[in-house]
Amino acid sequence: MTTPAMPFDFSIPTIDPLERALQPELQLAIDRKTKPPGSLGQLERVALQLGLIQQSVAPVVRRPAMIVFAGDHGIAHAGVSPYPQAVTAQMVLNFLAGGAAINAFCRLNDMMLEVVNAGVASELPSHRQLVDMPIALGTRSFLDGPAMSGAQLAQAMAAGAARVEHHARHGTNVIGFGEMGIANTSSAACLMQRLCGLPLEVCVGRGTGLDDAGLARKREILARALVRHPMAADPLETLAVFGGFEIAMMTGAYLAAARSRMLILVDGFIATAALLVAQAVAPAVLDYCVFSHASDETGHRAMLERLHARPLLALDLRLGEGTGAALALPLVRAAAAFLGEMATFDAAGVSDRA
């Protein structure tokens, strides 16, 4: 039997669905702005959701934060990525030096950025922007056994939750999650296949740029891995078998963010795979999620369809790092701004439609 030891020593938090009593008042406030009803499109939906989360007809965006979780994967050694595993640590150093796309987008959008070492397979230097809390030096290969033990999974989820709670104490009410980890699209594809029940070819994409031969090899390796492990009834068990430490931390972070009544900006393929697990154990987490974009990675649109999600952007992104979530932040700010600052028909002296 290849499943990890049970039970997991992690208590799933109680997440309350959004209280809807304020919805008629919020909808009226949105509709009374000087515009035709519905003419601000998805911004109106985001404004309504933000208002319901904050239980306010004048919601605000406070101290938005991005947490990028980094971890290595044992499956990388099977040849599922065109990049060597060392790139994970090299990219973390790039984050800390301020040179990655996520750095540029967070600076541009005044978004606090934190990098968490969830389990990079090498030592990292101390840095003011790095939270160093590795579970291990990378996961095991799930070709040989579970990627992590039940105890490691619980530790990772608790660590991700703790980072969100830290930001909540400092006033953050909008948060996004990114990731870095060579071969983590392989983990995400296996999680998607098991949690969504879709054919593997729908779930497996080119990741960081595999050619046709590399894609065929990746599919063959992941098909063997899925056969190696029996179907798990528990989504957390599936996460322990196929996940990465960064994905497990992100799963715990989603749960903590929803419990803290934050608006959560969901990034791309890897981030949505972690959300698949979180919503499987706590469905109300979706009430707090805004889906930032539709990734160009194979499988992401099928994930979004499964979650009945409407992404704000479609820019053919497939970088990860939380970049799509950071790019969507100005739209959340715009939703709050029109609700809080735009005049009503009465206040502006503008005639409403008959």
Side-chain angles (χ1 to χ4, degrees), residues 38 96 141 160-161 173 195 225 235 238 241 262 267 276 287 345:
L96 300 180
S141 172
N173 68 0
L195 294 172
T238 301
V241 170
M262 294 180 180
D267 193 45
L276 285 174
D287 284 359
F345 284 102

Side-chain angles (χ1 to χ4, degrees), residues 20-31 48 56-57 339:
R20 299 278 174 178
L22 189 64
Q23 184 160 340
E25 184 179 351
L26 267 166
Q27 190 62 59
L28 181 62
I30 291 168
D31 291 343
L48 178 64
S56 171
V57 294
L339 186 54

Side-chain angles (χ1 to χ4, degrees), residues 220-306:
E220 186 274 328
I221 291 167
L222 298 187
R224 282 195 284 123
L226 288 164
V227 170
R228 169 79 169 78
H229 298 282
M231 182 76 74
D234 189 319
L236 294 183
E237 191 173 322
T238 301
L239 178 57
V241 170
F242 296 111
F245 294 134
E246 84 282 26
I247 297 174
M249 282 197 187
M250 203 181 309
T251 302
Y254 278 121
L255 298 172
R259 180 181 57 193
S260 297
R261 301 189 67 84
M262 294 180 180
L263 184 139
I264 306 166
L265 289 167
V266 182
D267 193 45
F269 185 59
I270 315 300
T272 309
L275 181 60
L276 285 174
V277 181
Q279 68 87 34
V281 298
V285 71
L286 293 181
D287 284 359
Y288 300 85
C289 292
V290 167
F291 292 83
S292 60
H293 74 116
S295 169
D296 200 40
E297 174 66 12
T298 299
H300 191 230
R301 291 178 188 273
M303 283 181 174
L304 295 175
E305 289 173 8
R306 180 57 58 100

